Amino acid sequence: GNCLLVGVGGSGKQSLSKLAAYTAGCEVFEITLTRGYDELAFREDLKRLYALLGADNKRVMFLFTDAHVADEGFLELINNMLTSGMVPALYDGAEKDGLISSVRAEVEKKGLLITKESCWSYYVDKCRNNLHVVLAMSPVGETLRSRCRNFPGMVNNTVIDWFEPWPEQALTSVASVFLAEENLPEALRPQIVEHMVTVHQSVRNFSARFLEELRRYNYVTPKNYLDFINNYKRALATNRRTISDTVSRLSGGLEKLIQAAVEVDAMQKELSQAKVVVEQATKECNELLEVISTNTVEVEAKAKAAVEKEAQLKIDAEQITVEKAEAEAALEEAIPALEEAAAALQDL
């Protein structure tokens, strides 16, 4: 059969549809909107869909959401698929004859009347039996009401499933499952789950109050709840990683401090030993300085005496020079008398 899923965005319509298709062994067929996607392109996609249904004889779930409605004419074709199982004028004459020929052997095998009309009717029935149309629509605004009025097949030929807000038990179960693998304190796990449920329900209650007081809509969906849980897990992992990095950094700093304390103790011991040596050397140096000071006084006294002696010697040298000059002058005066005396002595 076909179904119309009604719920605001994020209610899980597409996820549940794909899960149901997987459970039933059906392939999922969706259109992909591109720039310039029009009714002609939509018809080509429908041809591919019907090739899977008829030629390949596969069970297919055609998932069509309100986001796929690029043109309201698409819903007219969907309405025909729901009411008659086939889109009018989808194939031209040659394509239609080829499809009829492809099922002629099956029709003959089943013992049915082999005419063009019966073969085509068999092909359409085969496609209708393999096709499951799932329409995922949002009830926000007047759009869905107008579409159901304009295209009655959406209501008359589908099973309507309304997606209501999750009850408290479902919220608790979902949060418990998603947090089952998280390393949380067991004493705090129920409180964390209860807090998540309370927060989600409080937002839902405030949204109703928001609508009553300000006439504005704020939709709270299961997708918001799942995002809330994922954000909590992401924040928990981020904070744990930050705390772990901080602990590692502080542990490294503490190890450095301990290592520095050990090195300081060793240096203190070396410093104590070196201090004894320095004190001994200082004592010896002071004694040497005293000796040097004493010797310096003696040397200065001797130097002073030497200077005085030098001055006296200088005076004596000058006196000797004067006396030498006088003696030489007296000698020069005495030499002629001496020579005369020597000559007289020679004469004698």
Side-chain angles (χ1 to χ4, degrees):
N2 309 308
C3 61
L4 171 62
L5 307 181
V6 182
V8 296
S11 299
K13 301 186 295 296
Q14 298 185 49
S15 300
L16 185 61
S17 300
K18 293 177 181 179
L19 177 61
Y22 174 79
T23 305
C26 296
E27 292 188 10
V28 179
F29 184 88
E30 292 183 86
I31 65 173
T32 302
L33 296 181
T34 58
R35 178 176 297 181
Y37 193 89
D38 54 5
E39 185 175 340
L40 181 60
F42 184 54
R43 284 178 172 271
E44 292 298 324
D45 284 337
L46 292 181
K47 286 182 180 180
R48 293 193 298 108
L49 171 62
Y50 276 97
L52 295 174
L53 297 171
D56 298 338
N57 195 25
K58 292 182 178 180
R59 300 177 63 193
V60 180
M61 183 194 76
F62 178 34
L63 180 58
F64 190 82
T65 69
D66 45 8
H68 293 149
V69 186
D71 186 349
E72 290 294 322
F74 293 0
L75 293 176
E76 178 66 28
L77 302 181
I78 296 292
N79 187 71
N80 291 325
M81 293 172 63
L82 293 172
T83 54
S84 64
M86 178 56 68
V87 177
L90 181 62
Y91 300 102
D92 57 21
E95 292 175 336
K96 187 174 182 179
D97 291 340
L99 295 175
I100 292 174
S101 299
S102 65
V103 298
R104 191 181 298 275
E106 296 182 24
V107 174
E108 184 178 1
K109 185 176 180 180
K110 290 183 179 295
L112 301 176
L113 184 63
I114 306 176
T115 62
K116 182 179 291 188
E117 290 76 11
S118 62
C119 289
W120 178 248
S121 177
Y122 176 83
Y123 181 80
V124 172
D125 291 340
K126 181 179 179 181
C127 292
R128 183 191 295 115
N129 293 332
N130 287 332
L131 175 63
H132 302 279
V133 179
V134 177
L135 304 177
M137 299 293 174
S138 173
V140 179
E142 299 292 328
T143 303
L144 180 60
R145 181 180 303 177
S146 175
R147 288 172 177 174
C148 291
R149 205 167 39 239
N150 296 331
F151 309 106
M154 294 176 56
V155 177
N156 299 332
N157 297 89
T158 60
V159 176
I160 302 177
D161 187 3
W162 287 83
F163 280 68
E164 300 291 340
W166 286 357
E168 181 177 351
Q169 181 181 0
L171 297 174
T172 303
S173 177
V174 169
S176 300
V177 170
F178 274 87
L179 297 179
E181 298 180 356
E182 294 295 326
N183 185 17
L184 299 174
E186 293 301 326
L188 299 178
R189 187 183 297 273
Q191 300 178 18
I192 295 174
V193 173
E194 182 181 358
H195 172 75
M196 289 184 172
V197 174
T198 303
V199 169
H200 184 73
Q201 289 183 329
S202 65
V203 174
R204 184 188 302 167
N205 296 333
F206 277 109
S207 297
R209 179 180 172 186
F210 188 63
L211 176 60
E212 292 176 359
E213 296 181 0
L214 301 179
R215 311 304 300 172
R216 297 182 65 180
Y217 290 91
N218 179 58
Y219 297 99
V220 184
T221 66
K223 180 66 166 57
N224 300 134
Y225 186 62
L226 297 178
D227 290 341
F228 176 39
I229 298 176
N230 290 329
N231 288 335
Y232 170 77
K233 294 170 63 176
R234 191 179 304 112
L236 180 63
T238 301
N239 290 332
R240 282 179 171 174
R241 186 164 51 252
T242 302
I243 293 173
S244 178
D245 295 341
T246 304
V247 170
S248 299
R249 185 169 62 254
L250 294 178
S251 298
L254 183 59
E255 292 177 358
K256 291 294 184 182
L257 290 176
I258 295 174
Q259 181 181 358
V262 173
E263 293 178 353
V264 167
D265 291 339
M267 294 174 63
Q268 287 286 356
K269 294 179 181 179
E270 295 178 359
L271 181 60
S272 299
Q273 297 174 357
K275 187 176 181 180
V276 175
V277 176
V278 169
E279 289 177 353
Q280 181 65 29
T282 302
K283 183 178 179 181
E284 295 176 355
C285 183
N286 291 333
E287 294 176 353
L288 181 60
L289 287 175
E290 292 178 359
V291 173
I292 293 174
S293 299
T294 304
N295 294 336
T296 301
V297 173
E298 294 178 357
V299 169
E300 289 177 352
K302 291 180 180 181
K304 183 176 180 182
V307 171
E308 294 176 353
K309 188 68 175 179
E310 183 181 1
Q312 184 64 37
L313 290 176
K314 187 176 181 181
I315 295 172
D316 293 344
E318 292 177 353
Q319 184 65 31
I320 292 172
T321 302
V322 172
E323 291 179 355
K324 179 182 178 182
E326 293 177 353
E328 288 179 352
L331 180 61
E332 289 179 357
E333 292 178 356
I335 285 176
L338 180 59
E339 289 178 353
E340 290 179 358
L345 180 60
Q346 185 67 32
D347 291 337
L348 289 178

